[in-house]
Amino acid sequence: SSGINAEYGAAKFAHEEGSSITRLALQFSTSDPRIPCTLVGSETRTQLLENIQVLNEEPRRDEQILINTIREKFFVGSHSWEGVGEEKFWTKVKNEMDKATSVYWKMQNATA
């Protein structure tokens, strides 16, 4: 599964197992050394306090198993996003540089 359906299914599954996808996502992203930074957003003070509590706790063994189950069940094939955004960024930079270079040479030829 991928996209919205996988995310919805994972959230529903986590809830059915007595947890929340937010809690599990925070635990996963902050305990995996391959993820250098985790950005956390909160709409309310209560959510902020809950997120802080999760970040201050060590994941329980049953939650680690649940995280792995969700990854296998809903996100098979989603091993890594590394480089995907970066590749698109550099392609765009190259295209913009090519355009700028073309405009520059047209201007140089027009004034020569």
Side-chain angles (χ1 to χ4, degrees):
S1 299
S2 64
I4 300 297
N5 291 334
E7 293 164 7
Y8 174 77
K12 183 178 177 198
F13 183 78
H15 179 74
E16 290 169 354
E17 294 295 317
S19 190
S20 79
I21 200 68
T22 302
R23 178 180 180 81
L24 298 174
L26 284 173
Q27 288 176 338
F28 171 74
S29 65
T30 57
S31 65
D32 189 322
R34 297 171 298 171
I35 303 173
C37 176
T38 300
L39 301 176
V40 180
S42 304
E43 288 185 57
T44 66
R45 184 175 191 277
T46 300
Q47 286 177 341
L48 175 63
L49 294 173
E50 288 171 354
N51 290 340
I52 291 170
Q53 181 180 349
V54 170
L55 295 172
N56 286 324
E57 297 173 356
E58 288 292 321
R60 298 185 321 252
R61 180 73 182 132
D62 62 321
E63 290 174 325
Q64 291 173 332
I65 293 169
L66 186 54
I67 289 168
N68 291 333
T69 301
I70 288 172
R71 289 185 68 213
E72 291 170 10
K73 185 173 181 151
F74 297 97
F75 301 104
V76 172
S78 300
H79 301 293
S80 173
W81 281 93
E82 186 175 339
V84 172
E86 184 177 358
E87 181 180 324
K88 287 182 181 180
F89 170 78
W90 287 113
T91 299
K92 185 173 182 174
V93 168
K94 180 190 178 306
N95 291 340
E96 293 300 317
M97 290 298 292
D98 289 347
K99 286 180 199 175
T101 302
S102 176
V103 168
Y104 171 80
W105 285 114
K106 285 180 184 175
M107 289 173 59
Q108 289 298 318
N109 290 334
T111 59

